Amino acid sequence: MARYVLNRLAQAAMLLVIVSAIGFAILHLAPGGPLSQFAASAQMTQEDLDRVTRQLGLDRPLPIQYLDWFGRMLKGDWGKSYRDGEAVLSVISSHLGATLELMTTATIIAVLLGCWIGISGALRRYSLFDSLATVGAMIALSIPTFWFGLVTIYVFSVKLGWLPAGNRETVGDGSLPDLLHHLIAPAMVLALVETAMWGRFMRSSMLEVINQDYIRTARAKGIPEWRILTVHALRNALLPMITVAGLQFPTLLGGALVAETVFTWPGMGRLFLDSIGYRDYPVVMGILMFSAMMVLIGSLLADMLYAVVDPRIRVG
Amino acid sequence: MADSTGKLGVGRLHHLGIPTRRQFFQLGAGAAALTLPGSAFAQTERPGNPPDKPRGQVIAALSQEPTVFHPLMPGIEVDQGVWWQVFSLLWFIDPEGNFVPDLAREVPTIENGGLSADGLTWKIKLRSDVKWHDGTPFTADDVKFSLELINDPNFRARSRVGHSLVKDIEVVAPDEIHWRMEAPYSPYMSILGSLTFIVPKHILEKVSDPNASPFHNAPVGTGPFRWGERVPGDHILLNAYTGYHGKGPYVERVVFKYIPDLTVLYTQFRTGQVDYTGLQGILPNFVQEAKTLKGRKIVVSSTSSVEHIAPNLEFGPFADRAVREALYYAINKQAIIDALYYGLPTQTETFVPQQAWSFQQGLPQHKYDPAKANTLLDAAGWVRGSGGVREKNGVKLEFTNSTTAGSAVREQCQQLLIQDWRAIGAAMRVNNMPAAVIWGDFWQQSKFNSVIVGVNFMLGSDPDVTPRFGSGAIPAKGGRGYNTYQYQSAEADRLLAQGAKQFDLAQRKTTYGELQKLIRSDLAILPLFQGFIAEGVKEGLQGFRPNINTSINSWNMREWYWA
């Protein structure tokens, strides 16, 4: 196991180098730069822009800039944001909490609701519930998150006035009920697609398990149905879901980006979008590296957990 | 003359008629502001009086996040919204175009001895009752430090235009500072009065890197509000500074709330979560509905920005003036204004806003006349070729037009332009790009054929457009400026040089009037309309005054209060 983990970590390190090189090249080769936002204003001349470019070291050859950035990153210095001069790690951490809050809530909703829908659908295959769940999942997967977010605001905020139209908290309040009140709509929107995915995966997984011989044997032995389901079927059906969970991070982050924009949620997704728009290279690279690390760690943990939960799987 | 408050009133001008050379600086560069349609929309009624002490809070929504808090560094308009609250200027320019003393005791003029007759020596008397937010007294040393910091080669100063001419700065007393200008430069008055905020010497002189210090994320100023907190990606909170030297502030807190999507921003204004929609305001398509909202006021005001089609004058067909004139005739401007902008903006023929003292009346008015356009092109030798596209000497009358991708209204405008111009045998193709791309080298180095853009050509309230239209300001030719049109005219250069040296308002008005006629005649730009902004203000919030001489209408939040 230890050898397997070390092996995977070495692979992960290689992947991170590749991701960083490709990301850096794409970002810097894309037209425009951090100073473009000032170019249309009446305040800065081309001479001013050139001077600031030199001061930021952006006039140096790209490989030099990359090596400089990479070297400093290895020492724990991820650079400073071009926008506000804050250290990148500090910028990321200041947005991370909001995103984790949103993603965790959405995941809890999605897992609970998705598993319930998936299991119920599998147990009552081709029933009205199953058909509705299938159609519902297709619709949920097809609805653009942005549109669903706007509809949610229109219905629950503008028309009914039940939920705030956005933001993470009321300025000056910030109490737990206030935070939860603000969390409902974006979490619901972010959870929609996730619920559908979990539902579909869970249904397939459960169907596969309940048609196995050992389930039939259990039933023949007269074991109560609830026990068959919870102890024998569910445990095995949940196994593939560990992999699903491990690989959900990028999807969730993508969804969070949209939900955060619609609901003015001050999280990482929106930070990423803003930073790309401003060509804030250090922050974009920081988020890229952070996300890549999360995906690799998630994948590694899923594999390890799989091996722990299912003794039939052996790694190494 | 200054009134008892030291403010130089516009009313005097009507009695004076054409001001003398000496009166120019008394009156302020904007003193001859004619009418201000924007102010007609503004809240003129002031029910009740401001409270005795700050009360309540204002949540101002912005569609871009303020991130630059050092007011002398490169920043965008939303950053200015914060600078105006935290810092002070020597003087500022009010909505009527008057220079109003702020940190200075009076605005320097030739008559009061603040300026020498040749405009080279400046003597500024400062207030002695001003304190920084940390309690340290403000002095002339802070002004000297600020001006020197701008010219510090290691400092990432936003712009050194005008400042680079300042020499021999001398602090003669804690409340008086003198300096000499290397050459006379009249627009400097406006530059000092628009964005040259004064920063604290006692804090910034101690930092090792002038470009990065704790001050950058927790600024200390002399303005009406002191720094509270910033939650990145969400909001900035400023608290009332009760030791402020001017009027106000009348609210306890100002919260700048960042809401990137304009539809979402409007929705939050509609549901009452924000009190004021700033910067990009309310999208034109929501304005009519917004006006029907209960408990909300919608203020539509003019801005200094001029929406225009920027031709690259070095690009084949556009080098021919006849082509530019024909294209201009063929634009159905009013249809664009009515259909896409809901009739809110007004047509213009010049780069100067119609409310400015320097605005030239009587310029040739645009007419939508495709027949005339066809005649012009026929006469200039542009004949219709295959596919109906005209050509001359092997050059086809086809070009691209670019604007910021995702700018829905401008993209619709392009569709109308394609139709208008196809009718006269000109083929336009769309080549849009994200903001970070189009305003980079593509725009700066004149790599475009044509662009739809809104530009504020003014330096505060000054019409000196040397950086925009001077021959030496073409970046693609190594120039210092942003003449991306690549406009070159010896006569324009002469007028620009002359205007920047003149200190007499009447003479300057004549000079810049001539320049406007020339630019209109040459069609260096194809103006569409003067910019406008529709801003929402919650009912009961008083004191909001659009100011065409600033880039952001939240400039005076110190005067805002809840009735």
Side-chain angles (χ1 to χ4, degrees):
Chain A
M1 184 72 155
R3 193 173 158 196
Y4 170 78
V5 172
L6 284 174
N7 200 16
R8 285 289 300 267
L9 285 174
Q11 286 176 6
M14 281 295 292
L15 270 171
L16 285 176
V17 174
I18 294 168
V19 165
S20 74
I22 294 175
F24 196 92
I26 290 175
L27 188 60
H28 285 253
L29 291 176
L35 303 181
S36 315
Q37 58 179 319
F38 308 121
S41 83
Q43 299 164 33
M44 294 182 79
T45 64
Q46 181 63 40
E47 192 188 32
D48 294 322
L49 291 168
D50 292 343
R51 174 171 46 79
V52 177
T53 301
R54 278 194 304 278
Q55 288 172 330
L56 288 171
L58 292 167
D59 57 335
R60 295 173 300 165
L62 203 55
I64 302 289
Q65 288 188 51
Y66 174 71
L67 290 174
D68 180 44
W69 170 81
F70 195 78
R72 281 188 288 109
M73 196 194 65
L74 288 181
K75 293 178 198 160
D77 175 10
W78 288 36
K80 285 183 176 173
S81 164
Y82 289 156
R83 291 171 68 197
D84 56 14
E86 278 278 305
V88 169
L89 286 175
S90 162
V91 174
I92 291 176
S93 64
S94 66
H95 288 73
L96 189 58
T99 296
L100 288 180
E101 190 178 299
L102 186 58
M103 283 168 59
T104 308
T105 312
T107 303
I108 292 170
I109 295 172
V111 170
L112 294 178
L113 204 59
C115 286
W116 175 73
I117 292 171
I119 293 167
S120 304
L123 294 179
R124 284 176 274 167
R125 200 177 177 192
Y126 305 133
S127 66
L128 180 62
F129 177 86
D130 188 34
S131 303
L132 286 176
T134 303
V135 173
M138 291 304 120
I139 292 172
L141 288 168
S142 313
I143 289 178
T145 309
F146 196 84
W147 179 84
F148 185 57
L150 289 176
V151 169
T152 305
I153 291 175
Y154 184 74
V155 174
F156 292 102
S157 305
V158 177
K159 286 292 164 194
L160 299 173
W162 291 352
L163 298 171
N167 309 326
R168 192 183 178 196
E169 61 182 359
T170 306
V171 178
D173 187 339
S175 61
L176 187 61
D178 182 62
L179 287 171
L180 291 175
H181 195 213
H182 282 80
L183 187 59
I184 294 170
M188 208 165 72
V189 169
L190 183 58
L192 180 77
V193 174
E194 293 297 311
T195 305
M197 286 173 68
W198 277 89
R200 298 311 294 159
F201 279 126
M202 196 65 220
R203 181 180 180 276
S204 306
S205 187
M206 197 67 182
L207 276 175
E208 203 173 305
V209 171
I210 57 175
N211 288 323
Q212 296 285 328
D213 289 343
Y214 71 90
I215 297 289
R216 225 181 348 260
T217 307
R219 283 196 178 118
K221 284 164 74 179
I223 297 171
E225 190 68 16
W226 65 268
R227 190 171 164 78
I228 292 171
L229 281 178
T230 52
V231 177
H232 297 270
L234 190 58
R235 190 173 169 187
N236 286 313
L238 278 172
L239 273 178
M241 305 309 286
I242 294 172
T243 312
V244 174
L247 297 174
Q248 276 303 294
F249 185 77
T251 318
L252 258 175
L253 200 62
L257 189 148
V258 179
E260 286 175 3
T261 302
V262 178
F263 290 97
T264 56
W265 195 263
M268 281 244 297
R270 219 175 69 191
L271 173 70
F272 189 54
L273 203 65
D274 283 352
S275 302
I276 290 176
Y278 282 102
R279 296 289 191 275
D280 194 346
Y281 301 141
V283 176
V284 175
M285 285 307 296
I287 298 175
L288 192 67
M289 297 308 290
F290 181 80
S291 306
M293 283 176 192
M294 289 297 108
V295 171
L296 290 170
I297 291 170
S299 162
L300 179 62
L301 284 177
D303 286 352
M304 288 165 62
L305 198 60
Y306 210 113
V308 170
V309 176
D310 187 353
R312 292 171 300 174
I313 309 292
R314 283 286 173 267
V315 291
Chain B
M1 288 293 169
D3 61 19
S4 58
T5 62
K7 178 176 167 177
L8 298 165
V10 67
R12 290 279 301 173
L13 185 71
H14 302 297
H15 301 292
L16 293 171
I18 298 172
T20 65
R21 177 188 170 92
R22 278 180 172 272
Q23 284 159 352
F24 168 63
F25 276 105
Q26 290 178 329
L27 295 167
L34 301 170
T35 55
L36 188 68
S39 65
F41 295 98
Q43 292 166 285
T44 47
E45 84 285 11
R46 296 275 183 93
N49 291 315
D52 295 333
K53 62 177 191 177
R55 196 179 66 208
Q57 70 173 17
V58 173
I59 298 183
L62 303 169
S63 57
Q64 288 172 296
E65 186 182 12
T67 53
V68 179
F69 308 117
H70 192 309
L72 302 178
M73 293 186 81
I76 52 177
E77 278 85 352
V78 289
D79 300 318
Q80 294 175 26
V82 178
W83 301 346
W84 275 101
Q85 318 316 325
V86 177
F87 296 95
S88 306
L89 301 139
L90 290 174
W91 47 83
F92 62 86
I93 311 168
D94 74 7
E96 286 74 39
N98 304 300
F99 289 121
V100 181
D102 191 355
L103 291 173
R105 236 183 302 156
E106 59 184 14
V107 177
T109 64
I110 294 172
E111 191 174 71
N112 68 18
L115 283 169
S116 61
D118 58 6
L120 292 177
T121 305
W122 293 56
K123 297 178 179 177
I124 317 290
K125 291 175 181 165
L126 302 166
R127 296 178 70 126
S128 49
D129 60 344
V130 180
K131 286 193 173 168
W132 294 98
H133 294 156
D134 62 4
T136 308
F138 156 80
T139 69
D141 282 323
D142 294 308
V143 180
K144 183 172 190 279
F145 176 82
S146 299
L147 296 179
E148 287 177 343
L149 181 64
I150 292 170
N151 288 319
D152 179 349
N154 296 317
F155 178 59
R156 284 205 297 272
R158 179 175 57 253
S159 176
R160 291 175 182 159
V161 173
H163 302 293
S164 59
L165 298 171
V166 175
K167 306 289 171 193
D168 305 331
I169 305 173
E170 187 188 353
V171 172
V172 294
D175 63 351
E176 188 162 350
I177 185 167
H178 298 174
W179 68 75
R180 182 178 62 81
M181 298 291 283
E182 206 169 46
Y185 185 55
S186 45
Y188 196 48
M189 196 76 182
S190 233
I191 289 172
L192 286 174
S194 46
L195 285 177
T196 311
F197 292 96
I198 304 301
V199 294
K201 179 188 176 189
H202 68 281
I203 294 174
L204 290 172
E205 70 178 349
K206 294 173 190 159
V207 305
S208 53
D209 178 3
N211 303 304
S213 72
F215 173 86
H216 287 67
N217 291 303
V220 174
T222 53
F225 294 92
R226 59 199 302 173
W227 187 259
E229 65 164 8
R230 177 186 175 216
V231 177
D234 194 55
H235 71 265
I236 289 161
L237 191 149
L238 306 177
N239 294 308
Y241 173 47
T242 46
Y244 180 56
H245 58 275
K247 278 199 296 182
Y250 302 125
V251 291
E252 284 176 279
R253 278 183 306 279
V254 166
V255 178
F256 287 103
K257 179 84 194 141
Y258 169 45
I259 303 172
D261 186 88
L262 285 173
T263 304
V264 177
L265 190 153
Y266 171 64
T267 306
Q268 294 203 15
F269 173 67
R270 191 178 158 173
T271 55
Q273 283 181 277
V274 299
D275 305 313
Y276 163 69
T277 63
L279 194 62
Q280 291 187 29
I282 297 170
L283 288 170
N285 53 316
F286 290 136
V287 170
Q288 283 311 319
E289 186 209 59
K291 284 180 176 172
T292 65
L293 295 177
K294 281 181 78 177
R296 307 283 184 278
K297 284 186 181 179
I298 306 305
V299 182
V300 181
S301 56
S302 297
T303 67
S304 287
S305 173
V306 174
E307 184 84 355
H308 63 277
I309 296 161
N312 181 350
L313 301 174
E314 293 282 303
F315 169 72
F318 293 149
D320 186 345
R321 189 196 164 280
V323 168
R324 303 199 296 273
E325 188 173 15
L327 291 175
Y328 197 45
Y329 270 119
I331 301 171
N332 192 346
K333 237 196 239 192
Q334 199 56 48
I336 291 171
I337 289 172
D338 291 341
L340 306 181
Y341 292 92
Y342 297 82
L344 294 169
T346 48
Q347 290 200 31
T348 189
E349 301 296 337
T350 178
F351 55 88
V352 173
Q354 295 172 29
Q355 295 76 18
W357 61 267
S358 50
F359 175 70
Q360 177 62 41
Q361 301 269 9
L363 291 172
Q365 292 299 296
H366 168 267
K367 271 198 310 188
Y368 170 54
D369 193 343
K372 180 91 179 271
N374 274 315
T375 308
L376 278 168
L377 289 173
D378 289 341
W382 291 89
V383 294
R384 285 186 188 263
S386 58
V389 178
R390 290 175 185 270
E391 54 185 86
K392 179 182 177 180
N393 302 329
V395 177
K396 282 195 166 187
L397 185 44
E398 58 184 10
F399 53 89
T400 59
N401 182 268
S402 309
T403 197
T404 312
S407 174
V409 186
R410 281 184 178 152
E411 286 174 342
Q412 288 174 314
C413 179
Q414 287 175 319
Q415 297 308 315
L416 293 183
L417 288 174
I418 288 173
Q419 290 176 35
D420 285 345
W421 286 342
R422 187 188 292 143
I424 62 163
M428 174 190 133
R429 279 176 292 112
V430 170
N431 179 28
N432 293 343
M433 305 170 190
V437 179
I438 190 170
W439 308 120
D441 272 3
F442 182 74
W443 169 249
Q444 287 293 313
Q445 295 298 322
S446 303
K447 293 177 181 172
F448 58 91
N449 292 173
S450 68
V451 162
I452 298 182
V453 61
V455 169
N456 175 4
F457 292 88
M458 307 292 277
L459 291 171
S461 63
D462 200 277
D464 177 33
V465 282
T466 308
R468 293 280 177 192
F469 293 117
S471 300
I474 303 172
K477 294 179 177 170
R480 302 170 56 183
Y482 20 76
N483 181 357
T484 52
Y485 316 104
Q486 307 203 64
Y487 177 65
Q488 293 184 78
S489 158
E491 177 61 4
D493 288 342
R494 185 188 70 76
L495 290 166
L496 286 167
Q498 180 176 293
K501 280 187 230 163
Q502 289 174 322
F503 290 92
D504 181 282
L505 186 65
Q507 285 180 3
R508 294 197 84 204
K509 186 165 167 54
T510 304
T511 302
Y512 288 105
E514 289 301 314
L515 183 69
Q516 288 170 74
K517 287 179 197 166
L518 182 67
I519 303 274
R520 170 63 180 85
S521 168
D522 285 347
L523 283 169
I525 59 170
L526 309 185
L528 291 173
F529 54 80
Q530 188 177 329
F532 72 100
I533 183 165
E535 288 159 292
V537 182
K538 206 181 267 183
E539 211 164 65
L541 184 59
Q542 306 297 315
F544 173 73
R545 280 198 297 161
N547 187 344
I548 200 160
N549 302 302
T550 63
S551 299
I552 192 155
N553 281 337
S554 57
W555 66 289
N556 72 331
M557 291 178 106
R558 58 182 177 264
E559 294 176 16
W560 294 15
Y561 64 92
W562 291 101

